Amino acid sequence: MSLGKQSQPHSQSSSPMLFSLQGSLLTLAIFTLLSFTYFSLNSVHFSSSPTIHISADTNEQFSDIYHSPEVFRLNFAEMEAKFKVYIYPDGDPKTYYQTPRKLTGKYASEGYFFQNIRESRFRTDDPDQAHLFFIPISCHKMRGKNTTYDEMTVIVRDYVESLIFKYPYWNRTLGADHFFVTCHDVGVRATEGFPLLVKNSIRVVCSPSYDVGFIPHKDVALPQVLQPFALPAGGNDVENRTTLGFWAGHRNSKIRVILARVWENDTELYILNNRINRAEGNLLYQKKFYNTKFCICPGGSQVNSARITDSIHYGCIPVILSNYYDLPFNDILDWRKFAVILTEKDVYNLKQILKDIPYSEFLTLHKNLVKVQQHFKWNSPPVKYDAFHMVMYDLWLRHHVIKY
């Protein structure tokens, strides 16, 4: 019987009973939904809290720098509890495999990752428990042995093909749950000679440029960090920052050439067409970060630059001048909360853009910059929320899109 017929006069005697039944069912449905929601929230609360250990102060600290602080908090806790990575054991550590070349210099990020992954809770010796598989080949070590690019490509291809032939794991997903790490640009050139690896697996690279095949939803931007830092971290020192903007470096890209040509004689922007001469004083280049508000970060021979993490470490707000740079942890951190993001065409109006930033906004940017410093530092052994854990979190996010 339809609802319309129930409202007719001859059906009025049955209406109260029917509406009473409908009301009871509706009440039961609402009660069930509320109960499910209550127990679900309790489950999330009690399962997450013992793992993450975040205080109210820490929550406040994260609130201004993440796209979604609560999602990050919960997902990070789940990653720490569950994420497992299998490292292929093949390859002689004395050649190009398994161990980093060194932990110093502007390509130290690759070395730290190789070392950190072995020291961390994420490593498993059981491939059946692994979410992802790490291909431990170091193109940086090849460079140290004066290997040509053609030879590098052959070495990479032969190694990966040997893993595919020996183990069943690559073929389950055609490599979608595999990843490799390279920070030096030679690693990008060497691996690009093997399209099967580049197109299928997750690339963790320091040169994540949209115009050279980097795929943001698949690949991971590795921060290029010049460690050890020459001086302590800066921050909470805005009264000492009297210089508007600073850049010193080589003219090894078009944007750097324009930057130097337009602004090197300016009185408010301190722009040098080369690194500061060491003969002028010890660590003058690093010390300049301490008294500058905004540090200009144009791309060099590659889109990336260690100057960005230098700026973050020394408390100088980075000004990104790039058209194609997928910034490290861009899907986690809101870079516009602690940096100035510009395109290359903005170089001609650079000084006015920086001067137009209100002082209150500058203070907020600087405050948030201090908060993210921990995310751009490598440690051995790794420390929670450091660069290693942020890279692992990016990998954890990507493993969710893989099905086999």
Side-chain angles (χ1 to χ4, degrees):
M1 183 179 292
S2 69
L3 186 59
K5 290 182 180 180
Q6 292 171 11
S7 64
Q8 293 176 2
H10 72 274
S11 302
Q12 286 179 352
S13 60
S14 62
S15 295
M17 181 181 296
L18 182 58
F19 289 138
S20 176
L21 177 61
Q22 288 177 333
S24 299
L25 291 174
L26 180 60
T27 301
L28 179 61
I30 294 173
F31 176 76
T32 303
L33 178 60
L34 291 174
S35 299
F36 177 77
T37 304
Y38 172 79
F39 287 115
S40 296
L41 290 174
N42 273 344
S43 174
V44 170
H45 172 75
F46 289 117
S47 63
S48 301
S49 297
T51 305
I52 198 71
H53 297 299
I54 291 187
S55 65
D57 291 340
T58 307
N59 275 328
E60 190 280 328
Q61 176 187 0
F62 288 167
S63 62
D64 292 331
I65 59 176
Y66 293 98
H67 292 299
S68 181
E70 184 65 9
V71 170
F72 173 75
R73 184 182 73 83
L74 295 175
N75 282 347
F76 192 95
E78 185 182 17
M79 176 197 72
E80 286 193 302
K82 298 180 179 179
F83 196 20
K84 295 299 178 186
V85 173
Y86 179 74
I87 305 174
Y88 282 108
D90 303 63
D92 183 359
K94 294 182 180 179
T95 53
Y96 318 116
Y97 313 98
Q98 305 298 336
T99 57
R101 180 185 173 197
K102 60 181 181 178
L103 298 179
T104 58
K106 60 183 180 179
Y107 301 110
S109 295
E110 179 179 318
Y112 268 103
F113 186 90
F114 269 71
Q115 180 161 306
N116 284 176
I117 190 69
R118 299 183 178 282
E119 301 171 325
S120 74
R121 71 179 73 184
F122 305 114
R123 181 184 181 182
T124 179
D125 293 325
D126 182 357
D128 292 328
Q129 294 184 358
H131 298 93
L132 294 179
F133 295 79
F134 178 39
I135 302 173
I137 186 166
S138 174
C139 297
H140 192 203
K141 290 179 71 173
M142 295 182 199
R143 177 177 177 271
K145 296 180 181 294
N146 297 318
T147 312
T148 67
Y149 286 115
D150 289 340
E151 291 171 337
M152 289 182 187
T153 298
V154 172
I155 292 170
V156 171
R157 185 189 65 223
D158 289 349
Y159 180 66
V160 175
E161 287 181 345
S162 72
L163 300 180
I164 295 173
F165 179 78
K166 183 176 179 180
Y167 301 94
Y169 310 113
W170 176 282
N171 289 324
R172 296 187 310 188
T173 63
L174 294 180
D177 57 355
H178 287 55
F179 71 94
F180 67 94
V181 177
T182 182
C183 192
H184 201 288
D185 51 356
V186 299
V188 175
R189 293 183 59 179
T191 54
E192 284 180 343
F194 187 36
L196 181 69
L197 177 67
V198 172
K199 292 181 179 180
N200 291 16
S201 66
I202 302 169
R203 297 196 298 167
V204 184
V205 296
C206 280
S207 52
S209 178
Y210 297 134
D211 63 344
V212 293
F214 182 84
I215 305 173
H217 70 270
K218 176 180 78 74
D219 301 328
V220 174
L222 184 69
Q224 185 178 6
V225 185
L226 183 60
Q227 283 191 224
F229 292 108
L231 295 170
N236 303 314
D237 51 6
V238 292
E239 66 280 356
N240 299 326
R241 299 182 178 275
T242 55
T243 300
L244 178 63
F246 166 61
W247 176 78
H250 302 297
R251 295 191 185 191
N252 56 352
S253 67
K254 181 179 179 181
I255 184 60
R256 291 188 176 193
V257 170
I258 297 173
L259 175 66
R261 186 181 70 237
V262 174
W263 298 110
E264 63 182 340
N265 294 320
D266 192 83
T267 56
E268 295 178 275
L269 296 178
Y270 191 78
I271 307 297
L272 295 180
N273 182 27
N274 215 320
R275 284 293 185 99
I276 298 176
N277 193 333
R278 293 181 179 179
E280 297 181 19
N282 188 36
L283 300 176
L284 284 182
Y285 173 76
Q286 289 82 359
K287 291 176 181 178
K288 191 63 185 174
F289 284 89
Y290 281 140
N291 58 27
T292 303
K293 296 178 180 178
F294 301 97
C295 287
I296 319 303
C297 302
S301 57
Q302 297 288 327
V303 67
N304 56 293
S305 171
R307 184 174 285 99
I308 296 176
T309 51
D310 281 347
S311 301
I312 294 173
H313 174 76
Y314 294 118
C316 183
I317 297 167
V319 179
I320 312 299
L321 271 178
S322 176
N323 296 336
Y324 304 107
Y325 193 4
D326 189 64
L327 292 160
F329 319 135
N330 197 31
D331 48 354
I332 308 166
L333 301 174
D334 186 350
W335 275 78
R336 296 186 183 278
K337 295 291 182 65
F338 58 90
V340 178
I341 313 297
L342 304 176
T343 59
E344 293 182 359
K345 64 180 177 58
D346 293 319
V347 66
Y348 299 100
N349 300 314
L350 180 60
K351 183 169 74 169
Q352 194 58 49
I353 290 173
L354 298 181
K355 293 183 72 172
D356 286 345
I357 296 175
Y359 186 71
S360 60
E361 183 177 341
F362 162 69
L363 293 178
T364 300
L365 290 169
H366 181 79
K367 177 183 176 182
N368 290 336
L369 186 68
V370 175
K371 296 177 185 178
V372 302
Q373 286 175 338
Q374 62 176 335
H375 297 320
F376 294 89
K377 181 181 179 182
W378 295 91
N379 300 283
S380 184
V383 176
K384 190 172 185 176
Y385 300 124
D386 67 0
F388 171 73
H389 281 85
M390 294 296 284
V391 173
M392 293 302 293
Y393 182 75
D394 253 336
L395 289 168
W396 170 250
L397 294 180
R398 280 149 182 77
H399 104 273
H400 285 296
V401 301
I402 300 167
K403 296 181 179 179
Y404 54 85

